[in-house]
Amino acid sequence: NAGVTQTPKFQVLKTGQSMTLQCAQDMNHEYMSWYRQDPGMGLRLIHYSVGAGITDQGEVPNGYNVSRSTTEDFPLRLLSAAPSQTSVYFCASSYSKQGNYEQYFGPGTRLTVT
Amino acid sequence: DQQVKQNSPSLSVQEGRISILNCDYTNSMFDYFLWYKKYPAEGPTFLISISSIKDKNEDGRFTVFLNKSAKHLSLHIVPSQPGDSAVYFCAASRRGGGADGLTFGKGTHLIIQP
């Protein structure tokens, strides 16, 4: 199993550009989430999904869109990039089972918006 | 308003001694608590978790203690090893598997001195 994969690893955008951060998992997990991490901060939840076709907003959803058309993929779209979206983005997946509480994280995408 | 707080940005411990990392939370709806370890340029990796119906969970060198009345948890690492040097994040969720995402603290940078 590859686990949770994210592409690209690094990206530089100009203000106003749009792009999609890709996230895929091959563990058949129902739950997937997107987080951002800024310097000196913990991870903050952007959007999450409890299954294909179902998404919801987290703590910091503004400026981001998501969709979940398959169990495996959960892309994060930046509609019009802003310097405030410079951050490291992590995707995570998990499953519902008695006694399981953890989320599995991908390696992250480092995004710079100039 | 931070719902999960880690008040020590850094902690230095001698190799072989006990490391104690602390975490406080304010949201009484949290039922699951997790500790993650993070190295630079990598995604967080799961260490240990505990549900609110327990007050202690142990896994090898790692033990998590939960004091629900004080809304406080701690991670004990015994004995501390050089490879334990990393940033440790406390996280909490309302649902098992982090179905609606995790809420993270800002992290504690643990440094193990030889």
Side-chain angles (χ1 to χ4, degrees):
Chain A
N1 282 356
V4 180
T5 57
Q6 293 184 239
T7 55
K9 284 193 185 329
F10 302 95
Q11 182 71 48
V12 178
L13 287 179
K14 292 190 186 322
T15 297
Q17 287 185 316
S18 62
M19 79 158 295
T20 300
L21 279 63
Q22 302 291 345
C23 174
Q25 52 92 7
D26 61 358
M27 299 173 281
N28 202 31
H29 286 174
E30 309 115 277
Y31 309 143
M32 296 187 75
S33 305
W34 274 103
Y35 299 85
R36 60 178 286 174
Q37 186 190 14
D38 301 303
M41 301 285 289
L43 283 71
R44 291 184 292 167
L45 182 66
I46 304 172
H47 285 284
Y48 63 95
S49 168
V50 297
I54 307 169
T55 64
D56 209 341
Q57 295 181 353
E59 180 188 353
V60 288
N62 292 343
Y64 307 96
N65 271 4
V66 292
S67 59
R68 184 110 179 261
S69 55
T70 67
T71 300
E72 295 78 21
D73 300 297
F74 191 39
L76 178 72
R77 281 182 288 277
L78 280 70
L79 307 171
S80 176
S84 61
Q85 293 178 304
T86 293
S87 190
V88 182
Y89 291 85
F90 292 100
C91 178
S93 73
S94 57
Y95 60 96
S96 62
K97 181 184 172 183
Q98 185 79 15
N100 172 66
Y101 313 135
E102 70 170 291
Q103 289 195 333
Y104 299 78
F105 283 82
T109 294
R110 185 175 292 273
L111 175 69
T112 302
V113 183
T114 60
Chain B
D1 180 32
Q2 260 196 293
Q3 297 186 66
V4 177
K5 299 177 186 177
Q6 294 177 257
N7 291 322
S8 298
S10 67
L11 175 68
S12 184
V13 174
Q14 269 200 308
E15 182 179 355
R17 307 293 287 268
I18 182 171
S19 295
I20 300 176
L21 293 87
N22 293 304
C23 177
D24 298 292
Y25 64 96
T26 58
N27 189 339
S28 57
M29 300 293 286
F30 289 142
D31 270 337
Y32 305 94
F33 304 90
L34 306 90
W35 285 94
Y36 280 85
K37 177 180 180 180
K38 187 179 181 305
Y39 294 118
E42 294 185 10
T45 54
F46 172 75
L47 272 179
I48 193 168
S49 63
I50 190 167
S51 76
S52 60
I53 61 172
K54 294 187 173 183
D55 55 17
K56 178 182 173 181
N57 188 26
E58 200 169 347
D59 184 0
R61 296 187 298 116
F62 303 94
T63 303
V64 56
F65 296 92
L66 175 63
N67 182 333
K68 204 174 171 188
S69 61
K71 293 191 176 67
H72 176 82
L73 61 154
S74 60
L75 174 68
H76 292 210
I77 306 173
V78 184
S80 300
Q81 299 175 352
D84 295 333
S85 293
V87 177
Y88 289 77
F89 289 100
C90 172
S93 71
R94 295 177 301 171
R95 294 175 60 182
D100 53 359
L102 301 175
T103 301
F104 283 83
K106 291 187 177 182
T108 295
H109 185 193
L110 177 64
I111 301 160
I112 305 301
Q113 305 277 10

mmCIF file of all heavy atoms in Angstrom, chain B residues 42-63:
data_model
loop_
_atom_site.group_PDB
_atom_site.id
_atom_site.type_symbol
_atom_site.label_atom_id
_atom_site.label_comp_id
_atom_site.label_asym_id
_atom_site.label_seq_id
_atom_site.Cartn_x
_atom_site.Cartn_y
_atom_site.Cartn_z
ATOM 1 N N GLU B 42 8.072 16.283 6.860
ATOM 2 C CA GLU B 42 7.315 15.032 6.789
ATOM 3 C C GLU B 42 5.903 15.261 7.342
ATOM 4 O O GLU B 42 5.651 16.234 8.052
ATOM 5 C CB GLU B 42 7.989 13.926 7.604
ATOM 6 C CG GLU B 42 9.337 13.479 7.059
ATOM 7 C CD GLU B 42 9.894 12.309 7.842
ATOM 8 O OE1 GLU B 42 9.163 11.733 8.679
ATOM 9 O OE2 GLU B 42 11.069 11.983 7.627
ATOM 10 N N GLY B 43 4.999 14.336 7.023
ATOM 11 C CA GLY B 43 3.677 14.395 7.626
ATOM 12 C C GLY B 43 3.711 13.888 9.052
ATOM 13 O O GLY B 43 4.621 13.161 9.433
ATOM 14 N N PRO B 44 2.717 14.266 9.870
ATOM 15 C CA PRO B 44 2.653 13.748 11.245
ATOM 16 C C PRO B 44 2.480 12.229 11.240
ATOM 17 O O PRO B 44 1.789 11.675 10.386
ATOM 18 C CB PRO B 44 1.401 14.429 11.816
ATOM 19 C CG PRO B 44 1.149 15.607 10.928
ATOM 20 C CD PRO B 44 1.633 15.200 9.579
ATOM 21 N N THR B 45 3.088 11.575 12.210
ATOM 22 C CA THR B 45 2.901 10.133 12.382
ATOM 23 C C THR B 45 2.274 9.870 13.738
ATOM 24 O O THR B 45 2.648 10.471 14.749
ATOM 25 C CB THR B 45 4.228 9.357 12.254
ATOM 26 O OG1 THR B 45 5.168 9.925 13.169
ATOM 27 C CG2 THR B 45 4.776 9.432 10.865
ATOM 28 N N PHE B 46 1.334 8.961 13.745
ATOM 29 C CA PHE B 46 0.562 8.642 14.941
ATOM 30 C C PHE B 46 1.432 7.933 15.973
ATOM 31 O O PHE B 46 2.225 7.067 15.654
ATOM 32 C CB PHE B 46 -0.614 7.754 14.542
ATOM 33 C CG PHE B 46 -1.384 7.192 15.694
ATOM 34 C CD1 PHE B 46 -2.248 7.984 16.409
ATOM 35 C CD2 PHE B 46 -1.231 5.856 16.049
ATOM 36 C CE1 PHE B 46 -2.962 7.462 17.467
ATOM 37 C CE2 PHE B 46 -1.942 5.322 17.105
ATOM 38 C CZ PHE B 46 -2.816 6.127 17.816
ATOM 39 N N LEU B 47 1.251 8.339 17.240
ATOM 40 C CA LEU B 47 1.981 7.693 18.329
ATOM 41 C C LEU B 47 1.068 6.840 19.199
ATOM 42 O O LEU B 47 1.278 5.648 19.366
ATOM 43 C CB LEU B 47 2.617 8.756 19.233
ATOM 44 C CG LEU B 47 3.992 9.273 18.887
ATOM 45 C CD1 LEU B 47 4.400 10.329 19.894
ATOM 46 C CD2 LEU B 47 5.011 8.153 18.862
ATOM 47 N N ILE B 48 0.064 7.472 19.771
ATOM 48 C CA ILE B 48 -0.766 6.790 20.754
ATOM 49 C C ILE B 48 -2.055 7.590 20.916
ATOM 50 O O ILE B 48 -2.085 8.784 20.653
ATOM 51 C CB ILE B 48 -0.013 6.658 22.102
ATOM 52 C CG1 ILE B 48 -0.721 5.691 23.045
ATOM 53 C CG2 ILE B 48 0.217 8.024 22.746
ATOM 54 C CD1 ILE B 48 0.123 5.302 24.266
ATOM 55 N N SER B 49 -3.115 6.903 21.321
ATOM 56 C CA SER B 49 -4.389 7.579 21.508
ATOM 57 C C SER B 49 -5.077 7.071 22.774
ATOM 58 O O SER B 49 -4.662 6.064 23.373
ATOM 59 C CB SER B 49 -5.292 7.337 20.304
ATOM 60 O OG SER B 49 -5.600 5.951 20.185
ATOM 61 N N ILE B 50 -6.143 7.771 23.151
ATOM 62 C CA ILE B 50 -6.930 7.362 24.306
ATOM 63 C C ILE B 50 -8.350 7.883 24.127
ATOM 64 O O ILE B 50 -8.554 8.962 23.574
ATOM 65 C CB ILE B 50 -6.306 7.891 25.622
ATOM 66 C CG1 ILE B 50 -6.981 7.266 26.847
ATOM 67 C CG2 ILE B 50 -6.349 9.420 25.687
ATOM 68 C CD1 ILE B 50 -6.214 7.512 28.138
ATOM 69 N N SER B 51 -9.327 7.088 24.548
ATOM 70 C CA SER B 51 -10.700 7.567 24.516
ATOM 71 C C SER B 51 -11.072 8.084 25.898
ATOM 72 O O SER B 51 -10.416 7.772 26.892
ATOM 73 C CB SER B 51 -11.660 6.464 24.087
ATOM 74 O OG SER B 51 -11.879 5.561 25.148
ATOM 75 N N SER B 52 -12.155 8.847 25.950
ATOM 76 C CA SER B 52 -12.515 9.513 27.202
ATOM 77 C C SER B 52 -13.024 8.549 28.277
ATOM 78 O O SER B 52 -13.192 8.938 29.429
ATOM 79 C CB SER B 52 -13.569 10.583 26.934
ATOM 80 O OG SER B 52 -14.719 9.993 26.382
ATOM 81 N N ILE B 53 -13.246 7.290 27.902
ATOM 82 C CA ILE B 53 -13.714 6.333 28.907
ATOM 83 C C ILE B 53 -12.546 5.709 29.668
ATOM 84 O O ILE B 53 -12.744 4.946 30.613
ATOM 85 C CB ILE B 53 -14.571 5.216 28.280
ATOM 86 C CG1 ILE B 53 -13.772 4.416 27.247
ATOM 87 C CG2 ILE B 53 -15.826 5.804 27.657
ATOM 88 C CD1 ILE B 53 -14.511 3.187 26.741
ATOM 89 N N LYS B 54 -11.323 6.033 29.249
ATOM 90 C CA LYS B 54 -10.140 5.501 29.920
ATOM 91 C C LYS B 54 -9.355 6.647 30.549
ATOM 92 O O LYS B 54 -9.529 7.808 30.199
ATOM 93 C CB LYS B 54 -9.249 4.763 28.917
ATOM 94 C CG LYS B 54 -9.881 3.514 28.336
ATOM 95 C CD LYS B 54 -8.863 2.762 27.502
ATOM 96 C CE LYS B 54 -9.426 1.433 27.055
ATOM 97 N NZ LYS B 54 -8.438 0.640 26.298
ATOM 98 N N ASP B 55 -8.464 6.294 31.483
ATOM 99 C CA ASP B 55 -7.588 7.336 32.023
ATOM 100 C C ASP B 55 -6.114 7.065 31.740
ATOM 101 O O ASP B 55 -5.262 7.904 32.033
ATOM 102 C CB ASP B 55 -7.818 7.520 33.533
ATOM 103 C CG ASP B 55 -7.673 6.223 34.306
ATOM 104 O OD1 ASP B 55 -7.087 5.264 33.767
ATOM 105 O OD2 ASP B 55 -8.157 6.158 35.451
ATOM 106 N N LYS B 56 -5.838 5.931 31.120
ATOM 107 C CA LYS B 56 -4.434 5.611 30.823
ATOM 108 C C LYS B 56 -4.384 4.644 29.646
ATOM 109 O O LYS B 56 -5.202 3.726 29.533
ATOM 110 C CB LYS B 56 -3.789 4.975 32.056
ATOM 111 C CG LYS B 56 -2.337 4.544 31.872
ATOM 112 C CD LYS B 56 -1.826 3.875 33.140
ATOM 113 C CE LYS B 56 -0.444 3.285 32.950
ATOM 114 N NZ LYS B 56 0.046 2.608 34.165
ATOM 115 N N ASN B 57 -3.400 4.858 28.780
ATOM 116 C CA ASN B 57 -3.137 3.900 27.710
ATOM 117 C C ASN B 57 -1.627 3.828 27.505
ATOM 118 O O ASN B 57 -0.953 4.857 27.482
ATOM 119 C CB ASN B 57 -3.829 4.316 26.406
ATOM 120 C CG ASN B 57 -3.729 3.260 25.345
ATOM 121 O OD1 ASN B 57 -3.592 2.067 25.654
ATOM 122 N ND2 ASN B 57 -3.797 3.653 24.089
ATOM 123 N N GLU B 58 -1.134 2.625 27.371
ATOM 124 C CA GLU B 58 0.311 2.406 27.321
ATOM 125 C C GLU B 58 0.675 1.638 26.057
ATOM 126 O O GLU B 58 -0.022 0.704 25.660
ATOM 127 C CB GLU B 58 0.711 1.574 28.549
ATOM 128 C CG GLU B 58 2.152 1.629 28.929
ATOM 129 C CD GLU B 58 2.396 0.993 30.296
ATOM 130 O OE1 GLU B 58 1.419 0.735 31.032
ATOM 131 O OE2 GLU B 58 3.552 0.755 30.618
ATOM 132 N N ASP B 59 1.772 2.046 25.421
ATOM 133 C CA ASP B 59 2.260 1.337 24.242
ATOM 134 C C ASP B 59 3.771 1.439 24.239
ATOM 135 O O ASP B 59 4.338 2.448 23.813
ATOM 136 C CB ASP B 59 1.675 1.943 22.971
ATOM 137 C CG ASP B 59 2.077 1.172 21.728
ATOM 138 O OD1 ASP B 59 2.811 0.159 21.825
ATOM 139 O OD2 ASP B 59 1.667 1.571 20.619
ATOM 140 N N GLY B 60 4.421 0.402 24.738
ATOM 141 C CA GLY B 60 5.883 0.405 24.794
ATOM 142 C C GLY B 60 6.407 1.507 25.703
ATOM 143 O O GLY B 60 6.048 1.601 26.870
ATOM 144 N N ARG B 61 7.229 2.378 25.138
ATOM 145 C CA ARG B 61 7.812 3.479 25.935
ATOM 146 C C ARG B 61 6.847 4.652 26.132
ATOM 147 O O ARG B 61 7.169 5.591 26.851
ATOM 148 C CB ARG B 61 9.077 3.990 25.239
ATOM 149 C CG ARG B 61 10.210 2.977 25.150
ATOM 150 C CD ARG B 61 11.490 3.608 24.609
ATOM 151 N NE ARG B 61 11.343 4.119 23.258
ATOM 152 C CZ ARG B 61 11.442 5.406 22.927
ATOM 153 N NH1 ARG B 61 11.689 6.310 23.865
ATOM 154 N NH2 ARG B 61 11.314 5.791 21.676
ATOM 155 N N PHE B 62 5.711 4.609 25.464
ATOM 156 C CA PHE B 62 4.785 5.738 25.467
ATOM 157 C C PHE B 62 3.546 5.429 26.307
ATOM 158 O O PHE B 62 2.937 4.378 26.155
ATOM 159 C CB PHE B 62 4.356 6.071 24.034
ATOM 160 C CG PHE B 62 5.503 6.381 23.119
ATOM 161 C CD1 PHE B 62 6.073 5.396 22.326
ATOM 162 C CD2 PHE B 62 6.028 7.655 23.064
ATOM 163 C CE1 PHE B 62 7.146 5.679 21.488
ATOM 164 C CE2 PHE B 62 7.098 7.945 22.234
ATOM 165 C CZ PHE B 62 7.659 6.961 21.446
ATOM 166 N N THR B 63 3.203 6.378 27.189
ATOM 167 C CA THR B 63 1.988 6.265 27.984
ATOM 168 C C THR B 63 1.251 7.601 27.929
ATOM 169 O O THR B 63 1.879 8.652 28.079
ATOM 170 C CB THR B 63 2.310 5.937 29.453
ATOM 171 O OG1 THR B 63 3.076 4.730 29.513
ATOM 172 C CG2 THR B 63 1.025 5.744 30.267
#
